[in-house]
């Protein structure tokens, strides 16, 4: 599948363990992909979230603390991108990271 000039990839995360967001365990979630973007999400033992976003030719790694408050559905994770602007990560209600994003550099 080819990479679209703009798009979004999102997920709600909520493992069976009710203390997963605050415990000192590592959780690796199944990868997600859409529109030429693949997202790998890991909740680290230090209660940070690592999101690796990759295309066929490039990758971006975001690190952010786990939000203090989670929605009843769990942790909302959303990556949005637009060619010529940025690729952004949102955790919960907050935008927590951004990288420049240019398709010609990736082709």
């Amino acid at each position: 599948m080819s990479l679209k000039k703009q798009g979004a990839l999102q997920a709600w995360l909520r493992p069976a363990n009710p203390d997963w967001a605050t415990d000192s365990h590592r959780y690796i979630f199944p990868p997600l992909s859409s529109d030429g973007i693949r997202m790998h999400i890991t909740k680290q033992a230090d209660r940070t979230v690592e999101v690796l976003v990759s295309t066929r030719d490039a990758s971006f790694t975001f690190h952010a603390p786990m939000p203090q408050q989670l929605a009843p559905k769990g942790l909302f994770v959303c990556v949005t991108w637009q060619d010529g602007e940025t690729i952004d990560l949102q955790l919960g209600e907050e935008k927590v990271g951004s990288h420049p994003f240019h398709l010609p550099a990736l082709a």
Side-chain angles (χ1 to χ4, degrees), residues 61-78:
T61 303
F62 297 94
H63 297 274
M66 177 67 74
Q68 294 289 325
Q69 297 281 337
L70 297 183
K73 289 173 71 172
L75 175 62
F76 179 68
V77 179
C78 181

Side-chain angles (χ1 to χ4, degrees), residues 4 7 13-14 16 20 22 26-27 35-37 46-47 60 63 66-68 70 73 78 85 87-88 90 101 103:
K4 291 185 176 182
L13 307 178
R14 190 174 78 185
W20 77 277
T22 57
R26 185 175 191 221
Y27 295 82
D35 300 327
I37 295 274
D46 65 359
R47 292 186 294 275
F60 310 91
H63 297 274
M66 177 67 74
Q68 294 289 325
L70 297 183
K73 289 173 71 172
C78 181
E85 292 189 18
I87 186 164
D88 302 318
Q90 177 181 338
F101 185 75
L103 283 175

Side-chain angles (χ1 to χ4, degrees), residues 4-91:
K4 291 185 176 182
K5 290 188 180 279
Q6 72 179 52
L9 185 56
Q10 60 189 25
W12 282 96
L13 307 178
R14 190 174 78 185
N17 180 353
D19 297 325
W20 77 277
T22 57
D23 68 20
S24 59
H25 298 287
R26 185 175 191 221
Y27 295 82
I28 300 172
F29 297 92
L32 302 164
S33 63
S34 179
D35 300 327
I37 295 274
R38 182 171 275 262
M39 181 168 61
H40 300 266
I41 306 164
T42 304
K43 184 262 182 176
Q44 300 292 356
D46 65 359
R47 292 186 294 275
T48 61
V49 179
E50 177 182 285
V51 180
L52 171 66
V53 181
S54 60
T55 68
R56 186 183 69 211
D57 300 310
S59 64
F60 310 91
T61 303
F62 297 94
H63 297 274
M66 177 67 74
Q68 294 289 325
Q69 297 281 337
L70 297 183
K73 289 173 71 172
L75 175 62
F76 179 68
V77 179
C78 181
V79 171
T80 58
W81 66 92
Q82 183 160 339
D83 181 31
E85 292 189 18
T86 59
I87 186 164
D88 302 318
L89 173 65
Q90 177 181 338
L91 293 180

